[in-house]
Amino acid sequence: MKALVYTGTQELVYRDEPNPSKVSGESILKIHASGICGSDMHAYHGHDERRIPPLILGHEVSGKIQNGKFKDKDVVLNPLITCGKCEYCRTGREHLCPSRIILGMNKPIERQGVFAEFVSTPDQNIYEIPNGLDKNEAPVAEPTAVSLHAVLIGEKSLKKPLSECKVLVQGGGAIGLLCGLILSKIKKTKNIVLSDPNKLRLAECSKYLDAKFVSPTDKEIMSNSFDIIFDTVGLEVSRQQAIDVVKPGGSIIHIGLTQPAGPFNFRKMTLQEVTVIGTYCYTNKDFEQTLEILAKKEIGSLDWIEFRDLKSGGEAFKQIHDGTCVAPKIILLP
Ligand SMILES: [Zn+2]
Ligand SMILES: [Zn+2]
């Protein structure tokens, strides 16, 4: 099969790779479409110790199953593979399973990713694409589930409904835009500010989301003025801004992971009882709910997705890297 292989820092090669072999309990997916995620970019920059080259990256995927009980079904994969037996798996928090692995990782166990023509997947990770969801847009289910999970966790942490909250979303990538769309269209939040340094990206997001679009240094982002902040960036500077601008008793939902550590105003967090929550992936239930949301078009049109050929995927990574790519999500078609 053809695949886009990550061969070294900022290096992707489109080349022939062996087809995945059949494994018991798993099926082979012929890939329709695969989305480029922030975590793929992180690996591409050589910053992910779980993704060591050479490796096929990618985990946001739809396709047609080639064998087994789902044969010939158009499906989307939940790429988070878990044990099904541990304390977390048994209580609906599969995403915290200690032996979890995501497609497109090779540490601790090898799982080739989806920037390819075929991939092998455990049967329990297969979900039929519901009516109403286009098969090439279906990979967006994965980042949508990440965003839904973050919004639901944020909602639970607050003492008032999200519809009455003033919200800051830091970052206008797919996760930021999707958090904004879920807040605006499903949770009926009216007061949303979305910040990003890339003006072209803000202009693109503004076509789909009802919010104020500003640069991260804009006066609009004032100290002690937001009930809840979604940090989809995860830089030291975004976290410092989040703790500065959150209101007493407010919440910070930390999703992005660009920089793992750094100074933070723990004094304000403590004195003002700010809730800071890290969120990761999604539960199986969140993933199922996401498919329903997308099938019913509850977050509106997905025309902000840009489609490109898998062959020229390397170029897409380069453009995302140098900030010349405007679309919040690029999906590659083999
Ligand atoms: Zn992703
Ligand atoms: Zn488990």
Side-chain angles (χ1 to χ4, degrees), residues 166 191 193 212 214 217-223 225-226:
K166 182 169 182 188
N191 203 343
V193 177
K212 239 180 223 161
V214 301
T217 54
D218 195 274
K219 293 190 298 293
E220 183 70 34
I221 309 179
M222 280 183 299
S223 296
S225 64
F226 291 90

Side-chain angles (χ1 to χ4, degrees), residues 49-225:
E49 73 276 6
R50 301 163 303 174
R51 295 171 167 102
I52 308 297
L55 175 70
I56 304 171
L57 298 171
H59 56 266
E60 305 176 357
V61 67
S62 66
K64 198 185 272 300
I65 295 288
Q66 302 298 291
N67 59 323
K69 63 177 175 183
F70 294 99
K71 191 172 188 307
D72 294 329
K73 299 266 192 234
D74 283 323
V75 305
V76 55
L77 300 187
N78 173 344
L80 191 64
I81 301 163
T82 56
C83 80
K85 291 180 262 199
C86 71
E87 167 193 350
Y88 299 100
C89 286
R90 280 187 282 109
T91 54
R93 296 200 295 166
E94 305 84 1
H95 59 308
L96 302 180
C97 173
S99 41
R100 67 187 183 249
I101 175 119
I102 295 186
L103 294 175
M105 273 190 192
N106 48 8
K107 292 275 163 6
I109 317 163
E110 176 151 302
R111 272 283 167 192
Q112 292 293 334
V114 300
F115 297 139
E117 289 181 284
F118 297 96
V119 72
S120 180
T121 171
D123 288 341
Q124 72 261 23
N125 292 67
I126 297 173
Y127 290 79
E128 279 186 51
I129 297 177
N131 284 334
L133 177 56
D134 179 88
K135 66 180 189 176
N136 287 345
E137 291 175 343
V140 87
E142 203 270 347
T144 309
V146 171
S147 304
L148 178 69
H149 182 70
V151 170
L152 295 179
I153 282 193
E155 183 175 41
K156 249 194 244 160
S157 74
L158 294 165
K159 301 284 182 286
K160 61 180 180 184
L162 275 172
S163 58
E164 292 168 22
C165 287
K166 182 169 182 188
V167 182
L168 174 63
V169 179
Q170 295 168 310
I175 301 295
L177 176 60
L178 284 161
C179 282
L181 290 170
I182 292 165
L183 287 162
S184 165
K185 293 183 187 283
I186 298 176
K187 300 297 175 186
K188 309 296 175 200
T189 309
K190 282 164 253 351
N191 203 343
I192 302 173
V193 177
L194 187 144
S195 67
D196 196 290
N198 185 333
K199 282 203 181 87
L200 297 171
R201 182 62 72 75
L202 289 178
E204 181 63 16
C205 290
S206 74
K207 294 183 201 160
Y208 303 94
L209 172 65
D210 186 11
K212 239 180 223 161
F213 297 88
V214 301
S215 123
T217 54
D218 195 274
K219 293 190 298 293
E220 183 70 34
I221 309 179
M222 280 183 299
S223 296
N224 306 314
S225 64

